[in-house]
């Protein structure tokens, strides 16, 4: 089974343990609400714990496979785009998960794009609250 299929199955069943084996140790997760990426398997798994609680009615609605430049070196890597629909605090979201794989078939880069802007804002607020609640990031204004 392709990594994208296993990833989709893990997300749809909310199985964090299955996700762990799909992520490279040095995975980078690029969020639509944060300028710098989340880095490393432990942090990205924590983020996914928050995301799985935050999204309402999450479902994948399409997939495209190919290759794209990934990483600072710009090397081409096998990639998949998974299209999804969900809601956050009642706001409907359309999104795309872009997965870039390493030589072992693990996800080394993960980029999320969502629309519309009002949903991006709602998502950012909800995810930040979840990350703070889980102790993964400090509360805004605290160091």
């Amino acid at each position: 089974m392709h990594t994208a299929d296993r990833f989709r199955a893990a997300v749809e069943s909310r199985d964090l343990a299955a996700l762990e084996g799909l992520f490279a140790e040095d995975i980078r997760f690029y969020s639509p609400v944060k300028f710098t990426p989340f880095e490393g398997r432990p942090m990205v798994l924590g983020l996914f714990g928050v995301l799985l609680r935050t999204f309402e009615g999450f479902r994948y609605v399409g997939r495209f496979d190919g290759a794209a430049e990934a990483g600072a070196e710009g090397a081409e890597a096998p990639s998949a785009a998974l299209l999804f629909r969900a809601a956050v605090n009642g706001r409907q979201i359309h999104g795309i998960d872009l997965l870039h794989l390493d030589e072992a078939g693990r996800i080394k880069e993960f980029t999320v794009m969502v629309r519309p802007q009002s949903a991006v804002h709602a998502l950012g607020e909800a995810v930040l609250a979840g990350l703070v609640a889980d102790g993964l990031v400090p509360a805004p204004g605290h160091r």
Side-chain angles (χ1 to χ4, degrees):
M1 181 185 289
H2 188 276
T3 301
D5 295 322
R6 295 184 325 184
F7 173 81
R8 178 179 180 164
V11 168
E12 290 175 343
S13 65
R14 300 177 180 269
D15 185 351
L16 282 175
L19 285 175
E20 183 174 5
L22 297 175
F23 294 153
E25 187 64 38
D26 60 348
I27 185 172
R28 290 180 144 213
F29 182 102
Y30 294 93
S31 165
V33 298
K34 186 173 179 285
F35 184 73
T36 58
F38 292 91
E39 297 188 65
R41 186 184 298 152
M43 181 57 148
V44 173
L45 281 171
L47 174 62
F48 265 90
V50 172
L51 291 171
L52 293 176
R53 294 191 317 262
T54 301
F55 283 118
E56 306 154 11
F58 186 94
R59 70 191 189 289
Y60 283 110
V61 297
R63 175 173 147 191
F64 298 96
D65 292 305
E69 286 185 11
E73 68 282 352
E76 191 170 278
S79 303
L82 300 172
L83 289 67
F84 66 86
R85 304 275 173 120
V88 172
N89 296 329
R91 299 224 187 257
Q92 295 299 310
I93 292 178
H94 299 173
I96 300 172
D97 288 340
L98 299 174
L99 288 65
H100 300 285
L101 309 180
D102 66 12
E103 309 78 37
R106 291 176 308 232
I107 301 167
K108 71 176 181 179
E109 260 186 38
F110 193 109
T111 302
V112 179
M113 291 185 254
V114 298
R115 65 155 306 278
Q117 184 175 359
S118 61
V120 173
H121 184 70
L123 177 62
E125 288 178 348
V127 169
L128 178 59
L131 291 170
V132 170
D134 288 359
L136 295 168
V137 299
H142 293 91
R143 292 195 181 238

